[in-house]
Amino acid sequence: MSRPYCSSRPLRHATAAMLCTICVSMLAAQTRVTPPKNKYTPAQDAELGQQAAKEVEQQLPLLRDDRIESFVDRIGGRLVQMTPRDMQHREFRYSFKVINVREINAFALPGGPMYLNRGMMQAAAVEGEVAGVMAHELSHVMLRHGTAGATKQQPFQIGAIAGAIAGAIIGGNVGQVVAQGTQFGLGTYFLRFSREYEKQADLLGVQLMARAGYDPLDLMHMFQTIEKQGGGGGPQFLSDHPNPGNRETYISQEASRVRVEGHAGDAREFARVQDRLRSLPAAPTTKEATRTQTSTRPGQPAPQARTVDTRVSPPSSKYKSYTEGTLFKVSVPANWREVAGSTSVKFVPDGAYGQLQGRTVFTHGVEIGFTRNEVRSLQQATREFIDDLAQWNPSLRAAGDVQNTKLSDRNGLVTTLTNVSDATGRPETIAVFTTLLRDGNLFYCIAVAPQDEYPTYQRSFQRVAQSIRISD
Ligand SMILES: [Zn+2]
């Protein structure tokens, strides 16, 4: 039996309104943060988060250590107790775990599971900074930003999202990002937040911290620490949690409006936790960790470096057409089959598609889909998209200038890149066609072929791109 979740809402609103009247007289009012529109239920958030958590924990090594675990549990528990009433959902299950990897990153999944990288813990100067990251992540969960962001899109299958989120967290290089495709477009929806949501998470984060007894400015200090750390994975956290502009200013302003209740930090315990972290063997990178995990997972054969058959027939000169829901139509060579995901679809010849270390990989063909975008200019949106690919891909390089093109009668760009395929170890050429959708998101068509076969494919890629008809 299911029950409408909003049945008790009017009462909650009334209570919140009354409380507000009281506190206004005592303090300059804190900013009221309201969860955005969401067509998913809190129960769906919870289900989705649990499934994604299971996948994440299969792929990434958790740090099992009583001292460290109870440290993050204590902070997390304290912050969760401060959940505003209108954001309390009994389906939510909060958990706080540390992943034994080096990059400075943290993420929380819908409905409650939160993960802090060991690198993030070790970068923190005081307990309040760890609490700051956690309060920010918790705010995304409480405000249900993951599913709220997905609300604007077509409905997704919960199972598909869970896998996609795990894929996006684990990442990979462009071979894999290109390859896993749907995961890229879809999974990042749940990890990468809009600037509007970022500001909400910062403001609610400040409020949670103050109520829990932390100096809310430590949230700002942690962002500064992450920015300074640069290369070691900081940028990933910052691109998932982009600065909406004036982050420091509005965090300080909000901090001046809230009252810090008590004192939560335990400096001695924080020092002991840091000692323990330093005493452990150095943490691997996420990439190294997922490789080991995959190869040591019981009952599974060791991963093979090259699982994709590279003897692939050239593109047929006959074409067949394909309609993707209501979003677009395309014609592709008749010997390519479609592998449909939730926000993208790949068209690949036989032998060009397979599994590599638990991910799907393709070496020849195209992937068409869309990804979240918030910048106005196509040039900049495309640059950000390529930067995302490059962030995971040391071998990805621009090859020549970005060219103007038409995609479905609208202004488009084509960016040519080179990469080394993770599946084959061979150089590959990638053409990325992009244009903006009416809702501002970025529509893309990524075409991939091994460098030495690219001349055979180039004409087909052009023809596929020209056949695209978007109807958004
Ligand atoms: Zn954020």
Side-chain angles (χ1 to χ4, degrees):
M1 187 184 79
S2 68
R3 288 162 52 79
Y5 117 91
C6 53
S7 57
S8 62
R9 264 194 162 177
L11 181 62
R12 283 183 184 158
H13 277 185
T15 323
M18 283 187 300
L19 284 176
C20 263
T21 329
I22 298 163
C23 49
V24 162
S25 60
M26 294 175 352
L27 272 176
Q30 63 179 31
T31 307
R32 189 174 159 74
V33 184
T34 326
K37 209 171 113 204
N38 198 318
K39 70 181 177 198
Y40 292 81
T41 64
Q44 286 176 310
D45 274 48
E47 186 191 347
L48 170 57
Q50 293 303 329
Q51 284 198 23
K54 217 181 290 170
E55 298 229 8
V56 165
E57 292 182 24
Q58 273 172 8
Q59 312 251 11
L60 290 168
L62 294 183
L63 188 59
R64 306 277 189 196
D65 179 285
D66 286 347
R67 169 149 269 153
I68 297 164
E69 287 172 85
S70 53
F71 173 75
V72 293
D73 272 345
R74 174 171 59 80
I75 303 175
R78 210 174 163 110
L79 291 166
V80 166
Q81 276 181 12
M82 309 303 154
T83 312
R85 293 192 66 153
D86 61 333
M87 298 176 207
Q88 290 174 4
H89 304 293
R90 65 195 151 69
E91 299 90 344
F92 281 24
R93 297 282 173 274
Y94 290 97
S95 61
F96 310 95
K97 296 180 182 173
V98 179
I99 301 175
N100 192 23
V101 291
R102 190 186 304 169
E103 293 91 347
I104 300 179
N105 207 355
F107 57 91
L109 301 172
M114 186 193 296
Y115 300 87
L116 294 156
N117 279 6
R118 181 175 153 196
M120 176 70 89
M121 306 264 304
Q122 292 193 266
V126 291
E127 179 178 319
E129 293 191 3
V130 178
V133 169
M134 293 176 78
H136 178 95
E137 292 291 343
L138 267 179
S139 300
H140 283 306
V141 175
M142 291 172 183
L143 291 160
R144 306 182 53 220
H145 281 160
T147 45
T151 290
K152 294 170 194 153
Q153 307 304 327
Q154 291 163 6
F156 299 121
Q157 294 287 324
I158 298 254
I161 312 177
I165 294 173
I169 290 163
I170 290 145
N173 61 29
V174 97
Q176 290 155 342
V177 171
V178 164
Q180 64 193 5
T182 61
Q183 282 91 331
F184 182 76
L186 178 57
T188 48
Y189 263 92
F190 294 85
L191 300 169
R192 177 158 305 182
F193 299 103
S194 68
R195 286 161 173 87
E196 181 197 338
Y197 290 178
E198 276 310 298
K199 189 165 179 182
Q200 281 203 321
D202 288 336
L203 295 175
L204 182 58
V206 164
Q207 297 167 10
L208 292 174
M209 285 185 78
R211 272 179 248 150
Y214 291 102
D215 179 354
L217 291 179
D218 280 341
L219 170 62
M220 189 176 83
H221 297 148
M222 192 64 203
F223 276 114
Q224 291 164 340
T225 304
I226 296 165
E227 263 164 37
K228 261 185 259 149
Q229 298 274 342
Q236 184 58 43
F237 185 80
L238 293 175
S239 69
D240 289 349
H241 302 275
N243 186 340
N246 300 321
R247 181 168 242 158
E248 298 189 6
T249 314
Y250 69 73
I251 288 181
S252 323
Q253 275 169 1
E254 190 67 12
S256 70
R257 294 189 186 118
V258 292
R259 182 204 304 271
V260 179
E261 311 277 350
H263 180 75
D266 181 341
R268 262 191 294 179
E269 183 56 17
F270 179 75
R272 283 189 212 110
V273 165
Q274 291 295 342
D275 281 347
R276 178 67 57 89
L277 288 166
R278 273 192 297 270
S279 73
L280 298 169
T285 63
T286 301
K287 198 170 178 181
E288 287 161 358
T290 46
R291 290 223 163 119
T292 341
Q293 284 292 103
T294 315
S295 61
T296 54
R297 208 183 305 160
Q300 291 208 348
Q304 291 177 353
R306 290 158 196 222
T307 52
V308 176
D309 181 356
T310 53
R311 283 159 308 199
V312 165
S313 340
S316 163
S317 56
K318 276 198 201 138
Y319 277 65
K320 60 178 180 188
S321 63
Y322 176 91
T323 306
E324 169 60 43
T326 54
L327 184 61
F328 69 89
K329 288 183 183 160
V330 65
S331 293
V332 296
N335 65 334
W336 293 3
R337 66 196 160 91
E338 75 254 16
V339 183
S342 300
T343 61
S344 83
V345 56
K346 295 191 239 330
F347 298 95
V348 287
D350 279 342
Y353 179 80
Q355 294 289 323
L356 178 73
Q357 293 163 9
R359 302 183 186 99
T360 56
V361 185
F362 79 104
T363 54
H364 304 65
V366 299
E367 180 192 324
I368 303 172
F370 66 90
T371 184
R372 167 178 284 174
N373 166 57
E374 293 185 2
V375 296
R376 293 233 171 134
S377 97
L378 172 62
Q379 280 77 5
Q380 198 188 336
T382 300
R383 257 196 315 273
E384 288 188 8
F385 181 58
I386 307 282
D387 284 349
D388 280 338
L389 300 179
Q391 200 158 34
W392 292 98
N393 289 281
S395 312
L396 189 73
R397 296 282 179 275
D401 295 332
V402 177
Q403 308 277 336
N404 288 314
T405 185
K406 286 281 176 195
L407 211 58
S408 191
D409 291 331
R410 46 188 102 184
N411 291 331
L413 293 175
V414 54
T415 310
T416 311
L417 305 157
T418 59
N419 188 45
V420 177
S421 164
D422 234 34
T424 61
R426 293 163 62 195
E428 60 188 3
T429 302
I430 301 169
V432 182
F433 300 83
T434 46
T435 191
L436 291 176
L437 293 174
R438 287 190 211 292
D439 64 6
N441 283 328
L442 187 73
F443 182 94
Y444 62 81
C445 169
I446 302 173
V448 186
Q451 209 168 68
D452 53 359
E453 295 174 50
Y454 197 76
T456 319
Y457 280 81
Q458 193 166 13
R459 191 188 295 264
S460 312
F461 290 156
Q462 285 291 349
R463 188 163 162 188
V464 168
Q466 276 161 19
S467 76
I468 292 171
R469 286 292 164 269
I470 304 171
S471 44
D472 57 332

